[in-house]
Amino acid sequence: MGSAGDGGAAAWSAAEVAVGGAAPADHGAGGDQGVWPAAPWPGASWPPADQPAQPAPARGMSRRVVWSVLVAAAVVGVVVSLVLTLVVGSGDDGPAAAASASPPTSDAGVSQQGDPDTSPPPTATPTGTPSPTGPELPAGYEEYEDAEGFRIAIPKGWSRTTVPSQYGIAVVNYRSADDERRLQVYQVSEESPDASFDLYLSEETAKPDGFEKLSLQNLDDGEYTGTRLEYLADTIKGEPDVGRWHVYDERFVASDGSIYAIAAYGPDADGRDDELELLTTALEGFCPPYACEPASVD
């Protein structure tokens, strides 16, 4: 592979020598260079015997040797990695195991109706074990096994809708046929009912238009852990205009140790006893997801 400016004389490339390739017998017009000329007389050898033979060009490392070295190095690397893994990972409580065992930390969010925030599962003292037979309900109510897994008492004939939640179960809404009354169930992300209301009632949390707090009652009695908020609002997002809304919102610890909220909504113009009955009946019939036996069917 000679260059155009060497007068036809072929020059062996470094690559041809390095890989042990033989010099070509002819390289173009000046092909007599690089091969021995024929002996000038019979029986004679060329070069003459008394002239030492010209040493062969040094050969580079063969491809087989190169690949052998590379493969051996790779095998050694794998063995060293396995040894280090066994030595470092031999402890029972290494940093990775400790991190996995620790619960994630995040800022507690507000469990607003329809938009609970993401937070670690709460830990609290559970309420007493509910009865599998269910309570005796007022006329017009029925026990309802919800698709989210919980059981609750609601008025007969009410419709059901859900809203996706960032924490726990979906937000479930039950509505009357005229849409003027609503019962809402969702899971709370804060560590206690009081902490949830502290956050909800803070200035940083948006409230419905015309929000007016009427009362905040702690209902803890040793067996039950819960807090009830009563308030008024001019409007409720997604609900019709019924004038001033009256709301009872109770957040409590259920028998599974998780915190849930049940809120009852209705027009303030027709009195406030309807919302209280709706709330307390729902609470009496509530059983957290998959924690109760199926309700009996009459």
Side-chain angles (χ1 to χ4, degrees):
M1 289 178 281
S3 62
D6 59 4
W12 297 352
S13 67
E16 288 176 314
V17 175
V19 298
D26 192 0
H27 287 273
D32 58 343
Q33 298 186 27
V35 298
W36 297 117
W41 58 82
S45 62
W46 188 270
D50 57 351
Q51 182 176 344
Q54 190 171 355
R59 296 170 61 89
M61 186 179 296
S62 69
R63 294 180 181 178
R64 179 177 299 176
V65 174
V66 171
W67 281 110
S68 298
V69 172
L70 292 176
V71 171
V75 171
V76 171
V78 171
V79 172
V80 172
S81 298
L82 290 174
V83 171
L84 290 176
T85 300
L86 292 174
V87 173
V88 175
S90 60
D92 294 334
D93 298 318
S100 299
S102 301
T105 58
S106 64
D107 295 335
V110 179
S111 293
Q112 300 181 29
Q113 289 86 343
D115 189 24
D117 195 5
T118 303
S119 180
T123 55
T125 304
T127 307
T129 304
S131 170
T133 59
E136 183 177 351
L137 303 177
Y141 283 82
E142 64 180 351
E143 287 187 330
Y144 183 78
E145 301 284 346
D146 194 271
E148 289 297 315
F150 62 84
R151 187 172 70 204
I152 193 169
I154 63 174
K156 295 179 180 180
W158 280 30
S159 63
R160 175 188 182 273
T161 59
T162 61
V163 177
S165 173
Q166 297 179 353
Y167 179 81
I169 63 174
V171 179
V172 181
N173 292 296
Y174 305 99
R175 289 182 175 88
S176 61
D178 58 7
D179 289 335
E180 292 188 355
R181 300 178 68 199
R182 182 178 81 172
L183 186 67
Q184 186 177 72
V185 183
Y186 60 96
Q187 194 166 348
V188 175
S189 64
E190 288 77 48
E191 66 273 13
S192 69
D194 287 340
S196 182
F197 277 125
D198 286 344
L199 194 57
Y200 179 69
L201 295 173
S202 66
E203 295 182 356
E204 290 76 16
T205 303
K207 311 291 190 303
D209 292 339
F211 176 86
E212 179 186 347
K213 173 185 169 183
L214 298 179
S215 65
L216 181 65
Q217 182 181 5
N218 184 286
L219 304 175
D220 296 354
D221 63 2
E223 295 182 0
Y224 182 85
T225 301
T227 302
R228 180 183 299 169
L229 171 67
E230 182 183 9
Y231 66 91
L232 301 175
D234 291 339
T235 61
I236 298 294
K237 183 178 179 181
E239 303 302 325
D241 182 7
V242 298
R244 201 133 166 90
W245 284 90
H246 174 242
V247 183
Y248 278 113
D249 181 349
E250 187 158 334
R251 307 182 186 187
F252 59 97
V253 181
S255 61
D256 62 353
S258 297
I259 303 175
Y260 298 88
I262 297 180
Y265 300 75
D268 187 48
D270 64 359
R272 300 173 180 175
D273 293 340
D274 292 345
E275 288 76 57
L276 183 59
E277 180 187 82
L278 181 61
L279 173 71
T280 55
T281 303
L283 285 166
E284 289 174 1
F286 182 80
C287 185
Y290 314 110
C292 298
E293 298 178 4
S296 59
V297 179
D298 295 335

